[in-house]
Amino acid sequence: MSLPVLATAFLLAITLGYSAKCWLSPFGDCRKCDGMGHAFKTDRKGRLKRGKDCRRCQATGKRIRIGRWIYNRAARTYRAGTR
């Protein structure tokens, strides 16, 4: 196999794999709070305590994946244009 064909096959496999992941699991863990929904902080004795709620995910611990967000936006635009 030549290098361009191999590179194209590799990129196609990556794209299809990510598309399947977005279709099967549209939500992933929040990157800011690691899916916990809140931050951790320590008290004066050094023990862990629950901190404030995460503002990025509104304390759900989940976020929508970028690929799913793009798909939702494209589908919404298509539906609005065909009415």
Side-chain angles (χ1 to χ4, degrees):
M1 271 183 157
S2 66
L3 188 60
V5 172
L6 190 62
T8 303
F10 179 71
L11 289 176
L12 184 64
I14 295 285
T15 303
L16 291 176
Y18 184 70
S19 298
K21 185 170 181 120
C22 288
W23 180 61
L24 293 173
S25 176
F27 295 98
D29 289 339
C30 178
R31 290 188 293 265
K32 185 173 183 181
C33 64
D34 294 325
M36 293 295 294
H38 55 82
F40 287 109
K41 65 182 198 177
T42 57
D43 61 2
R44 295 192 318 189
K45 294 182 181 179
R47 295 181 295 209
L48 285 177
K49 291 179 61 177
R50 186 182 196 279
K52 292 183 179 180
D53 288 343
C54 180
R55 296 184 336 182
R56 181 179 288 177
C57 65
Q58 285 82 35
T60 62
K62 295 293 181 187
R63 63 167 178 85
I64 194 159
R65 295 185 194 278
I66 294 170
R68 186 62 184 212
W69 182 87
I70 291 170
Y71 172 77
N72 288 350
R73 182 61 57 103
R76 190 177 307 127
T77 303
Y78 177 76
R79 279 193 304 269
T82 58
R83 290 183 184 181

